Structures are given as structure tokens and as C-alpha cells.
Amino acid sequence: FNGMFYPDGGGEALVEALMGTVLQNGGESRSSSGVNSIIFENGRATGVETEDGNTIFAAKIVSSIGIKETLFRLVPEQEQPAKLVGALEKHHPVPSLLELLIGFKGDLSSFNIGRTAYKTIIGDPSTMSRNPTEKGWVCDDLTISFQSLLNTAPQDPEYQTAEMHHETRYEYFEKYEDKQDSQEYKELTDRITRNYLDRLEERFPGLRKYVSYTRLISPLDVKNFTHHDQGSMFGLDIQKAFNPELSPRSGMKNLFFTGEDIFAQGLTPLNG
């Protein structure tokens, strides 16, 4: 956790660096162009149909959204290789997370915040037995880091950011699917946010008064953003790395996999 490595220039710097190679070689990037399905002709993947109804054809198609998500969301059932379907049955998604994004306004230099991550552990974090939706909840294992302080690029010292997160189970939040606009869910997220800010104040007394923005990311949000089963942070469990059936070669002609289900045992979110 020493430094919690963070890209100078923020997350956008990573996108610019990765896309630089694509653009320099005549490639193109399209944001907000979700894919509805992969098109197959005579047993070969030949293109994709986007959410807006357009079709894009290519000699090779690479998916980085996860093996399970690609196979069961984008590939027609009749094209799904039985061998791959069987291999996926042996694996389960890793846990989801709760994450509070925080924005500060004011000079924080007096708090002596280091370029590191701060951990708070209560009980056994591996069990995730505490239910965040229950009143009186206290999180098992909390990580606090200040991304803006890790960013050495020029920035306004009066505005800083932090994030606080811990792993949790999707099943605790499942009852709120399609109810994220309800008053009950808003009260829940407000309660969890206050809990996080209480932990922040315990670690850095006086810091709470500088908080000017918060946004809570729940397992439901993770699922909405990534489409990962049960809002999994890193896709399938770590044992996927030892399953020879899960590889960049999908078993379907012209279709390949990349991303966290393939690379580095899914231990980093930068695999895509």
C-alpha cells in the first residue's frame, strides 16, 4: 500500500496513453457505444451490433468486459461453446465493494496526510459477515486513500479528493435492485455515507468540516457500470488463472478475450 500508485494527470492519463497506440495505428475510439450482441456468420464472429442499432464488422473481435459477461450477454446461445460454458460453471465472481468518493475544499496541509493508504480493520475482513444495510453496521475492513495527493501533476491545493472502500457481498443490496430511486434506498446510502465520514473523522480529527462533496458507490452501481455478475470488482475468482479453458482464445473463431479474467489473476483493475 506504500503510495497506492496513482497516475499523474488522473485516470484520464491512462486512457490517453492506452488510446495513443490505437490512434497512431489508424484505430478509432467510440465512447458511449455499448454493444448489444456479437454477430456470427457460419460459426465465425464477424462484427458487433451496438445499442443504437449500428453494425460494425471486423476481421478480429476482442472483448475485455469479462468472459462470463461476453459469453452470456453478447454471444447467441447457439454459438456458445459447451466446453467454455462448462469451464465457467467452476468459477464464481469475487466480492463487490462499497466506495465513498469525497471532495474537499480548503487547505489540508495541517493534517499531515501521507502518500499512502490507511487501513482500519474491525473483526475478520475475510468473512464480510457484517451487513451494511442493517442499522448499527460498522464496516469490517476499510481503506482510505487520497488520490489527489498521490497525483504529482500541477493542481489547485484548495481542492483535494479521497476515496474510502471495503469489500462487501452483493446479496446484501440485491433487494434494492430497480429501487435505487426510492426513499428507503436514499436513507440507506445516507446512513452508510455518515458511517464512512465518522471513520474518516476518527482517523483525521477535524477533516470532516472540509468535506464539500460525497458520492457513494454501492454494489448495484458497480454492476450497472461494469455489467459484472453480482457487481464483482475483478470478475471471476482467482482460480480462473489455473483453468486452461479460460484463455484469450474463446473457442469461437475470430473472437478473443482480454481483461481481468485473463491477465494477472484479476488482481489489478487496469487489465483492460
Side-chain angles (χ1 to χ4, degrees), residues 18-189:
L18 291 166
M19 283 308 305
T21 303
V22 175
L23 298 174
Q24 290 169 15
N25 288 276
E28 179 184 351
S29 172
R30 298 187 185 185
S31 60
S32 301
S33 298
V35 171
N36 265 341
S37 63
I38 297 174
I39 301 169
F40 283 79
E41 295 180 8
N42 299 321
R44 304 170 71 92
T46 58
V48 297
E49 179 183 322
T50 60
E51 290 176 348
D52 57 10
N54 290 324
T55 54
I56 303 171
F57 295 96
K60 296 286 187 295
I61 299 168
V62 184
S63 174
S64 68
I65 68 170
I67 297 176
K68 192 172 185 179
E69 289 72 22
T70 302
L71 190 66
F72 298 125
R73 289 187 61 247
L74 304 182
V75 176
E77 186 174 359
Q78 65 271 19
E79 303 291 348
Q80 298 172 5
K83 203 172 184 180
L84 183 57
V85 172
L88 289 172
E89 291 176 351
K90 303 174 183 177
H91 300 279
H92 303 283
V94 301
S96 190
L97 87 163
L98 273 169
E99 179 177 37
L100 184 66
L101 308 178
I102 308 173
F104 302 93
K105 185 175 181 180
D107 183 4
L108 306 185
S109 59
S110 63
F111 292 95
N112 298 315
I113 299 171
R115 301 185 76 239
T116 186
Y118 298 89
K119 296 281 284 184
T120 301
I121 297 179
I122 302 172
D124 182 359
S126 66
T127 65
M128 289 175 284
S129 59
R130 300 175 189 262
N131 184 344
T133 67
E134 295 178 347
K135 292 184 178 180
W137 165 79
V138 178
C139 56
D140 301 89
D141 181 11
L142 183 63
T143 301
I144 309 171
S145 62
F146 295 79
Q147 295 98 324
S148 59
L149 298 180
L150 298 171
N151 183 359
T152 61
Q155 55 189 304
D156 189 337
E158 287 290 307
Y159 296 92
Q160 303 292 348
T161 62
E163 66 89 27
M164 305 173 68
H165 74 268
H166 88 288
E167 294 184 1
T168 190
R169 295 174 180 169
Y170 186 83
E171 63 195 61
Y172 293 144
F173 292 83
E174 200 165 9
K175 60 187 175 184
Y176 293 104
E177 283 186 350
D178 302 321
K179 298 179 181 177
Q180 290 173 267
D181 293 330
S182 68
Q183 182 62 28
E184 182 182 0
Y185 185 75
K186 182 181 185 304
E187 291 174 358
L188 169 64
T189 55

Side-chain angles (χ1 to χ4, degrees), residues 198-241:
D198 287 345
R199 304 289 80 73
L200 181 70
E201 183 69 9
E202 288 174 1
R203 184 62 184 79
F204 299 98
L207 185 58
R208 189 168 184 166
K209 68 180 182 181
Y210 291 91
V211 173
S212 62
Y213 171 85
T214 60
R215 167 77 187 277
L216 184 71
I217 305 297
S218 78
L220 300 176
D221 296 311
V222 178
K223 184 178 181 180
N224 289 338
F225 293 152
T226 66
H227 298 294
H228 281 175
D229 185 31
Q230 299 183 40
S232 170
M233 285 187 293
F234 303 123
L236 299 174
D237 59 66
I238 196 170
Q239 299 303 322
K240 63 198 172 191

